[in-house]
Amino acid sequence: MLFKNLFLSAFMIVGMLAMVSCEDDTETVTETIDSSVPTGDLMVQRQGTFVDQNNKSTAGMVQVGTDQDGESFLRFGNDFTTDLATGTVTIYFSTSDELIRDAGAGNPNVKLVGAVQGTGEDFFKLSSAPENRFTHVILWCESVGIPFGNAQLQ
């Protein structure tokens, strides 16, 4: 009987050790990478300061540059502000301080970037760096058809 109890006890201990050793003790850490912001520092190639148009309180710095992975970005500075920064103001690169669209010719004088989503710092990932012929960033309110501001890139 003693042998049987020792055998059962040993068998139970071995079984418990086997079950414990099969548990996965490694912890999985998931890291989310936000591709809409630069990796590392933004190396600025050109920058400018917004000039207000139509009394829309537009002001602040804008920069064009690349991150450490060579991705291109447009950056609005912490000091950026404009009225209706809620998605109704559209951002364009332009060949002048005026928005000149020519859909029949493929709009060679403008390049759409996106929509302003708020004031303060914001990044807009670009498919490629804007060509040097695009000398300005224009903020345009599509709903009323007026400029809210522009910045010359230097």
Side-chain angles (χ1 to χ4, degrees), residues 3-97:
F3 180 72
K4 186 177 180 182
N5 285 338
L6 283 175
F7 179 75
L8 284 174
S9 296
F11 183 73
M12 290 176 65
I13 290 173
V14 170
M16 286 176 31
L17 288 175
M19 288 191 315
V20 170
S21 66
C22 292
E23 289 182 15
D24 186 7
D25 290 338
T26 61
E27 182 177 322
T28 303
V29 176
T30 304
E31 181 177 348
T32 303
I33 298 173
D34 185 355
S35 65
S36 67
V37 295
T39 303
D41 292 330
L42 186 70
M43 276 76 78
V44 177
Q45 281 106 22
R46 296 189 286 167
Q47 64 184 10
T49 302
F50 280 110
V51 175
D52 182 51
Q53 291 178 278
N54 295 303
N55 296 315
K56 297 303 177 188
S57 303
T58 301
M61 180 200 51
V62 62
Q63 299 174 320
V64 176
T66 56
D67 69 0
Q68 72 182 24
D69 295 334
E71 298 290 338
S72 296
F73 288 88
L74 177 69
R75 176 186 177 259
F76 287 2
N78 290 329
D79 59 346
F80 171 71
T81 184
T82 194
D83 288 348
L84 299 174
T86 58
T88 60
V89 178
T90 309
I91 307 161
Y92 289 94
F93 286 117
S94 176
T95 57
S96 71
D97 63 353

